[in-house]
Amino acid sequence: MTLTGDSQSEKNFSGVPSENVTMQGPDQPLKDITATTSKTPASDPQSLHHKDRRNGGGGQDCNRSKKRKAKEISGTKTNPGSRWERIGEKGEKRRREIAEGKVEKSHFPQFSAEEIAEEDRRPKKKVAVMIGYSGTGYQGMQLVEGGKSIEGDLFNAFVKTGAISKANADDPKKSSLVRCARTDKGVHAACNLISLKLIVEDSDIVEKINAALPPQIRIWGFVRTTNGFSCYQSCDSRIYEYLLPSYALLPPYPKTYLGYKIPEIAKEKGDLEGYNSRQGPLLDFWEETDAALVAPLLASLNDEKRQAVLDALLEPNKSNSKSRQQPDQESEKEKPQDFEKDEPNEFETTEQDETAVEELKDKRPVPELTADSPVDAWVKTVRATHIRAKKAYRVSPERLSQLREALALYRGTHKFHNYTIEKTQQDPSAKRIIKSFTAADPILVGDMEWISLKVHGQSFMMHQIRKMVAMAAMVVRCGCPVERITQSYNELISIPKFPSLGLLLERPIFDNYNSGVAAKFQKEPIDFGLYEKEIEDFKSRELYTKIFEAENESNQFHGWFTGIEAFKQDTYLYLSSGGFEQSTKRKEKQRRE
């Protein structure tokens, strides 16, 4: 299955690490957005080494020569085999410490001095390895202490197949491992790249490595590169895809806090007609749904019990009530602009939501409800009915046009301090370049409709793409003027992040490297297109299908919107006709000033 569209950290225009991706537009050459990133930072060890040599210091080579001379003067003889003995002794010592409980077990295999000495020494080559993976069950791409990571499984597979020697098996730094894109927990990648030194003499080394990996991680191929190649520094830009269920564009349920406050403020500000116009035919969606589907369900109940069911629909889960309250204030010096702290849990669902989800997953016949059935049973049934109504929704061309208009406002260079964490409004590193952000026509998968969004940018900060998608979706579904996105670049607000479930790295772009360094030194270009068929099959089998199934079973987006709509604070009221003046963050800023 292929999705097509019109359209977790990397580095931005100033070389600052960040998060996600984008798509190349026809109106601007790619080199324009990467000209300032192609230079090696002054802090790069290789750059410093060359600088030392130019200054006559000799750099690392000079230091090694001085050490050898010092040993000759002192009468100490160097032993060619001593390095391997030291590595083996270090491994033995660590195994003893692990056995005694002094240290935790390493992510990587440990080999004895005898095992290292017995292994044949073979030459390593600097290569760029093209990979794809499903992030489900992993803490992210980057190695995590005490957690499962994509890099950890890849490195162990390299060691197992002999692509990395036993002497270098205890530390990825020895192989100069660098990743192109550091995807976050649960985020997938159809194409990503790592660069490192590998032993690639075997003609079937790719097949061997894939056999040692789980099915959700694949090696597409590799190419030899120059010794100074870094996939992180050489990447021009990145393209990400986000799969969004169409029902994300439905208005908030009118009886929730956000659902009744937004039209209320619109009336106060004299913008009720504009609000109604922006909502269009969806203005009465929930009233019509309740009249057609819910009212007949509750018709057999007496007035008192019917009202108890309707009231219970809006009750927050008591176990999660803490997250719905404003947290303790933190010192701005310790956590500047950490807006995540006052948001609901990322996939927060109420107790009733969870039972409704379980009912949908349970294929057994549901006992018929009677007037004597408990209130909780009726609430569960009504919530399940709402979920079914959401999944049955099909987006109109007009609603899709609103989403596309909102996404287009991200194009260009803007201050995205509100779209990440721990960035101040004045922080220059919050500026990012977005080439394009588009939405494809919807597709139907099973009984639910999905929209493929693609964003192409130079680099992204933590959570940036998930917050950009969330902001665009909330602006549309709340009947907010889309210009609120443009205004957000100069304001101070909280933007919640969407679930990681729908996010995947489409591919990184290396056009400048391919046409420049690779061509000059006669190296193969980095071309994911050579493996297009394998990649598309993988995306269909391991990425798209699993994303669709996960949402169908767990209803993560439904739970996310339920938490946002029921959050009884002014945090998200900047989506109303009152604008940023209604926002908690604006009020806090005014009090500080």
Side-chain angles (χ1 to χ4, degrees), residues 71-242:
K71 288 183 178 180
E72 291 173 2
I73 294 172
S74 63
T76 305
K77 295 183 179 180
T78 57
N79 183 354
S82 62
R83 175 173 178 264
W84 312 109
E85 291 175 3
R86 289 196 304 273
I87 292 173
E89 291 170 359
K90 183 178 179 181
E92 291 284 4
K93 180 181 178 182
R94 183 169 182 82
R95 272 192 295 276
R96 288 195 303 269
E97 291 175 341
I98 292 172
E100 296 170 1
K102 294 180 180 180
V103 295
E104 294 183 2
K105 188 176 180 180
S106 172
H107 289 282
F108 311 110
Q110 304 290 315
F111 297 97
S112 66
E114 292 76 14
E115 290 174 308
I116 293 173
E118 289 172 0
E119 185 181 38
D120 294 333
R121 295 184 62 186
R122 296 189 292 171
K124 298 179 293 185
K125 305 295 183 183
K126 190 66 172 288
V127 295
V129 183
M130 290 167 273
I131 62 175
Y133 52 84
S134 166
T136 303
Y138 287 87
Q139 296 297 311
M141 172 67 178
Q142 190 175 16
L143 290 169
V144 180
E145 188 67 31
K148 187 179 181 183
S149 67
I150 300 295
E151 279 185 359
D153 279 9
L154 280 170
F155 191 81
N156 287 331
F158 292 151
V159 174
K160 184 177 180 179
T161 56
I164 289 179
S165 66
K166 295 178 180 178
N168 294 327
D170 61 334
D171 189 355
K173 293 180 181 178
K174 294 181 179 179
S175 299
S176 304
L177 175 63
V178 177
R179 73 201 67 82
C180 172
R182 191 201 69 179
T183 53
D184 292 332
K185 178 181 178 181
V187 177
H188 318 294
C191 301
N192 202 347
L193 197 79
I194 59 173
S195 57
L196 73 167
K197 296 176 183 177
L198 290 182
I199 301 169
V200 291
E201 293 177 334
D202 297 344
S203 59
D204 60 346
I205 188 63
V206 172
E207 290 76 13
K208 288 181 178 178
I209 295 172
N210 279 330
L213 287 168
Q216 69 187 94
I217 304 177
R218 294 291 88 183
I219 301 289
W220 306 129
F222 68 89
V223 294
R224 289 281 308 278
T225 66
T226 57
N227 289 334
F229 175 79
S230 166
C231 62
Y232 176 78
Q233 296 290 342
S234 300
C235 183
D236 301 333
S237 59
R238 300 157 180 86
I239 301 171
Y240 274 80
E241 181 175 21
Y242 196 95

Side-chain angles (χ1 to χ4, degrees), residues 362-559:
D362 193 347
K363 304 302 180 182
R364 296 172 298 177
V366 179
E368 185 176 349
L369 294 176
T370 67
D372 295 328
S373 298
V375 170
D376 287 349
W378 284 100
V379 171
K380 177 176 66 175
T381 301
V382 173
R383 287 186 176 276
T385 301
H386 281 172
I387 292 175
R388 291 191 184 97
K390 286 183 175 182
K391 293 184 176 181
Y393 169 71
R394 303 294 178 259
V395 67
S396 66
E398 294 76 19
R399 199 66 162 180
L400 185 59
S401 178
Q402 288 179 319
L403 176 63
R404 286 170 172 163
E405 185 182 357
L407 295 175
L409 296 178
Y410 288 125
R411 291 190 58 179
T413 304
H414 305 292
K415 293 188 293 183
F416 288 99
H417 57 281
N418 286 320
Y419 295 82
T420 185
I421 60 173
E422 300 185 4
K423 293 285 185 184
T424 63
Q425 192 171 355
Q426 294 76 29
D427 193 336
S429 69
K431 282 190 177 181
R432 300 291 154 134
I433 301 172
I434 303 299
K435 288 286 289 181
S436 66
F437 207 150
T438 62
D441 291 335
I443 64 167
L444 189 63
V445 181
D447 63 346
M448 187 159 53
E449 192 177 65
W450 293 79
I451 305 171
S452 172
L453 311 180
K454 288 193 177 181
V455 55
H456 179 196
Q458 180 183 339
S459 62
F460 298 87
M461 297 174 287
M462 180 176 288
H463 305 323
Q464 183 181 342
I465 291 177
R466 291 160 63 185
K467 285 174 174 277
M468 291 168 74
V469 175
M471 182 66 170
M474 290 197 304
V475 162
V476 173
R477 75 193 307 267
C478 292
C480 176
V482 294
E483 293 77 16
R484 199 61 42 85
I485 291 178
T486 304
Q487 297 164 0
S488 71
Y489 303 141
N490 298 305
E491 287 290 340
L492 191 62
I493 57 173
S494 292
I495 301 176
K497 62 181 183 293
F498 249 2
S500 62
L501 175 67
L503 182 62
L504 65 97
L505 171 60
E506 177 73 15
R507 68 184 56 193
I509 306 296
F510 291 89
D511 288 345
N512 283 340
Y513 168 79
N514 289 341
S515 61
V517 176
K520 179 179 179 181
F521 293 97
Q522 298 181 337
K523 300 295 183 181
E524 292 181 68
I526 298 170
D527 184 7
F528 289 97
L530 298 174
Y531 312 98
E532 198 66 39
K533 184 180 184 305
E534 295 92 329
I535 292 171
E536 291 300 324
D537 289 344
F538 177 79
K539 286 167 68 175
S540 176
R541 182 182 68 254
E542 296 290 339
L543 303 185
Y544 292 150
T545 300
K546 291 188 176 180
I547 289 173
F548 301 146
E549 289 176 351
E551 171 59 20
N552 193 50
E553 292 178 2
S554 63
N555 296 285
Q556 290 189 21
F557 287 94
H558 164 77

